[in-house]
Amino acid sequence: AAGVIQSPRHLIKEKRETATLKCYPIPRHDTVYWYQQGPGQDPQFLISFYEKMQSDKGSIPDRFSAQQFSDYHSELNMSSLELGDSALYFCASSSGQGDNSPLHFGNGTRLTVT
Amino acid sequence: DAKTTQPPSMDCAEGRAANLPCNHSTISGNEYVYWYRQIHSQGPQYIIHGLKNNETNEMASLIITEDRKSSTLILPHATLRDTAVYYCIVLNFGNEKLTFGTGTRLTIIP
């Protein structure tokens, strides 16, 4: 079965650069979520989108922005990168709103800021 | 959402049943119990969920107490590939954002 696809798998950037992470949800899933997981930490929710509209917002820095496109894929844009942004970034997708369908996660993008 | 409490770590011998407890004493009547796991540096993986009845699928069984204040995830025949951090999360709906606590680090011992 098709899974959530994230690209790139690895990304190395320097401080103050920008990065764009992409997420392709499972077909027919209309909701995407972004999570950040620092070294030795649990995943932290950043932001989510339902039907191309922001549906919830967590601890996402102002330097980050995200959007969901008409084909339901999503991009996380990160500017003025800092060393502390080095982390695993996971995208998840689900279908519908207000039902019991679970989230399905991709295998993440590992961002290293030097 | 109700908070959950899990032991920080557990060991289990390969081939034995792994029983992972979770306390959720403040759970409300319309909240479900969901279990996810994260194998090292991979994306979290959905395992199972339930409301008040016991549930079983190809991965695991979920036993929820009658008062719904606690539950146990059972991996019937643990393998080395089951070594992971297991998260018990209480949600109104399955597709709400997940708030990960510290989970239980399960180590399967050969």
Side-chain angles (χ1 to χ4, degrees):
Chain A
V4 176
I5 305 297
Q6 291 188 245
S7 67
R9 290 298 308 275
H10 303 273
L11 189 59
I12 300 174
K13 291 285 186 179
E14 295 187 354
K15 284 193 305 184
R16 293 179 288 278
E17 286 192 318
T18 61
T20 297
L21 280 54
K22 297 185 178 183
C23 170
Y24 297 87
I26 291 172
R28 292 182 294 282
H29 280 193
D30 52 16
T31 308
V32 294
Y33 312 76
W34 286 97
Y35 286 80
Q36 177 191 58
Q37 186 172 26
Q41 298 181 358
D42 302 299
Q44 297 294 314
F45 171 72
L46 293 178
I47 196 167
S48 62
F49 292 86
Y50 166 66
E51 284 290 346
K52 294 152 279 184
M53 299 290 289
Q54 180 181 308
S55 56
D56 203 348
K57 190 173 181 180
S59 51
I60 183 169
D62 292 341
R63 299 177 290 109
F64 294 6
S65 65
Q67 58 181 323
Q68 185 181 30
F69 295 85
S70 58
D71 64 351
Y72 296 105
H73 93 273
S74 179
E75 295 182 3
L76 178 65
N77 299 293
M78 310 160 70
S79 63
S80 303
L81 287 169
E82 302 173 357
L83 295 178
D85 296 328
S86 295
L88 272 168
Y89 290 83
F90 292 107
C91 172
S93 73
S94 70
S95 62
Q97 285 282 290
D99 67 22
N100 293 319
S101 57
L103 275 62
H104 296 271
F105 286 79
N107 278 325
T109 293
R110 181 177 294 279
L111 173 66
T112 302
V113 181
T114 63
Chain B
D1 293 336
K3 291 186 178 179
T4 62
T5 304
Q6 299 177 250
S9 64
M10 292 180 62
D11 293 339
C12 179
E14 187 179 17
R16 306 297 289 266
N19 297 280
L20 291 87
C22 178
N23 286 322
H24 32 77
S25 58
T26 60
I27 192 171
S28 64
N30 58 345
E31 289 182 316
Y32 288 74
V33 180
Y34 279 75
W35 283 83
Y36 284 78
R37 72 180 181 183
Q38 186 175 28
I39 298 169
H40 181 63
S41 294
Q42 296 182 21
Q45 177 188 24
Y46 165 77
I47 302 173
I48 198 168
H49 73 276
L51 181 63
K52 54 184 177 180
N53 297 320
N54 297 339
E55 302 288 344
T56 295
N57 62 20
E58 65 278 5
M59 290 182 67
S61 294
L62 175 60
I63 308 298
I64 303 174
T65 58
E66 192 169 343
D67 63 7
R68 300 204 332 117
K69 293 185 177 181
S70 65
S71 60
T72 301
L73 178 74
I74 301 172
L75 307 178
H77 305 286
T79 71
L80 298 178
R81 286 178 292 182
D82 292 321
T83 292
V85 178
Y86 287 76
Y87 296 97
C88 169
I89 303 172
V90 173
L91 298 169
N92 282 311
F93 301 106
N95 52 13
E96 286 181 26
K97 69 183 184 198
L98 302 177
T99 300
F100 291 90
T102 52
T104 295
R105 184 173 298 278
L106 175 67
T107 302
I108 305 302
I109 300 171

